[in-house]
Amino acid sequence: MGTRDQAYLDRTEVEVAIEYAEIAAEYDVPVTLFLTGRTAVEEPERVETLAAMDNVEIGGHNYWAFDTPVHKTWRGAEKVTGGRIGSWNGPRPFQRFEIRRTIQALNERGVDVTAWRDHAYRHDQYTTELLAEEGITHFSDAVGPDERVRQEDGVTVVPVNTPPDHEHVYHAFRTPGSEAVEEFEGPFGERSVSVDEWVEWVLEKTESVQLDEGVATVLAHPACLWLADEFDAFERLVVAVSDGQARMMPESANRTIHV
């Protein structure tokens, strides 16, 4: 994908994801991994390896991760017009085309796609409707500590309601004092922490969501957690949630936590 994390890896993100899924499998923890359509085309055998794992669900994640002239032009229009027209996702017909192309690419690798997360949580007023039309049942782009599972345009929205790792964990280019850290503020604030502190933060937030009888969603990127400490903290996290309550995305609306 050419992401900022990829520049620090000695393997592709899919190769890292396979190791991540294998660690989760050791503790019977299921995971939902969101892949771009282009990944399925460029690394078909590795995607098939992931798809064959019993504890892995593969969801859609756009095709190009918003890196085309169409995307750049349309989000430029959004900026120039103050949001009156334009979006990161491109015009509605193009967004539909990209969703369909991603689903087709994953279908060709034996994946039945029912869950979705847009790259960088970017979506617009058409996204849930278009996803529902293509058979997507679960969508996970909402982020915030008070977010809860809800229905929208016929799709179950499963929000990220624990601190996302990529935005808050020191790793790779996110170092103390770096621009990525100093200029960031999101729904969970501007706090950046070590990966060990992040695990404790996530578990604390998970407990509070559960006490509120909600579904806790943990966003834990394979590349980010490998770069942070080569999955040591991730393994502690899966041990902590390996009590039989972790679920894949389509099952999560009636459960307590999914990773």
Side-chain angles (χ1 to χ4, degrees):
M1 287 177 56
T3 62
R4 296 179 73 180
D5 282 346
Q6 179 66 73
Y8 293 84
L9 293 171
D10 59 0
R11 298 169 286 167
T12 71
E13 291 195 45
V14 181
E15 289 177 286
V16 175
I18 291 171
E19 181 179 348
Y20 169 107
E22 289 173 342
I23 292 171
E26 289 179 18
Y27 300 94
D28 296 321
V29 171
V31 295
T32 300
L33 296 170
F34 298 93
L35 274 62
T36 64
R38 185 174 173 182
T39 296
V41 172
E42 293 184 348
E43 301 183 65
E45 293 181 358
R46 292 173 183 140
V47 170
E48 288 173 359
T49 295
L50 277 175
M53 297 180 69
D54 290 338
N55 70 314
V56 173
E57 173 200 18
I58 293 179
H61 194 57
N62 307 105
Y63 191 89
W64 292 281
F66 304 146
D67 189 24
T68 72
V70 174
H71 290 112
K72 294 173 183 177
T73 299
W74 205 238
R75 66 175 173 260
E78 182 183 34
K79 184 176 181 180
V80 170
T81 65
R84 291 191 299 277
I85 62 171
S87 81
W88 276 73
N89 299 72
R92 178 174 176 161
F94 186 84
Q95 185 175 177
R96 176 186 286 113
F97 163 73
E98 187 174 19
I99 290 169
R100 287 178 175 175
R101 185 165 181 179
T102 296
I103 292 173
Q104 179 182 355
L106 291 169
N107 285 166
E108 289 173 356
R109 305 277 67 83
V111 177
D112 180 20
V113 184
T114 58
W116 193 275
R117 172 175 293 134
D118 280 306
H119 188 58
Y121 328 116
R122 301 286 186 174
H123 59 279
D124 61 23
Q125 68 268 37
Y126 306 120
T127 304
T128 52
E129 176 188 349
L130 292 173
L131 290 173
E133 289 175 0
E134 301 305 322
I136 301 300
T137 59
H138 289 69
F139 181 53
S140 190
D141 270 7
V143 182
D146 299 320
E147 291 277 359
R148 295 294 183 269
V149 173
R150 64 180 184 275
Q151 298 296 313
E152 185 176 324
D153 295 325
V155 175
T156 301
V157 176
V158 184
V160 179
N161 50 17
T162 64
D165 62 333
H166 195 270
E167 292 93 314
H168 295 280
V169 171
Y170 290 127
H171 73 285
F173 61 91
R174 295 195 89 259
T175 57
S178 66
E179 181 179 327
V181 169
E182 295 299 318
E183 296 187 1
F184 175 77
E185 184 172 0
F188 286 87
E190 58 185 23
R191 179 182 174 192
S192 290
V193 297
S194 71
V195 68
D196 292 323
E197 292 174 296
W198 172 77
V199 169
E200 295 305 314
W201 188 9
V202 165
L203 294 176
E204 289 172 7
K205 184 57 183 172
T206 295
E207 183 177 2
S208 70
V209 172
Q210 291 173 331
L211 289 173
D212 191 36
E213 298 185 354
V215 177
T217 304
V218 178
L219 179 51
H221 293 78
C224 173
L225 296 181
W226 166 258
L227 290 168
D229 69 352
E230 300 185 2
F231 289 144
D232 286 347
F234 175 66
E235 185 165 4
R236 289 195 295 277
L237 176 64
V238 296
V239 167
V241 300
S242 62
D243 57 0
Q245 298 187 76
R247 294 293 183 269
M248 296 177 187
M249 185 71 73
E251 301 172 329
S252 63
N254 298 315
R255 304 293 180 176
T256 56
I257 181 172
H258 72 81
V259 178

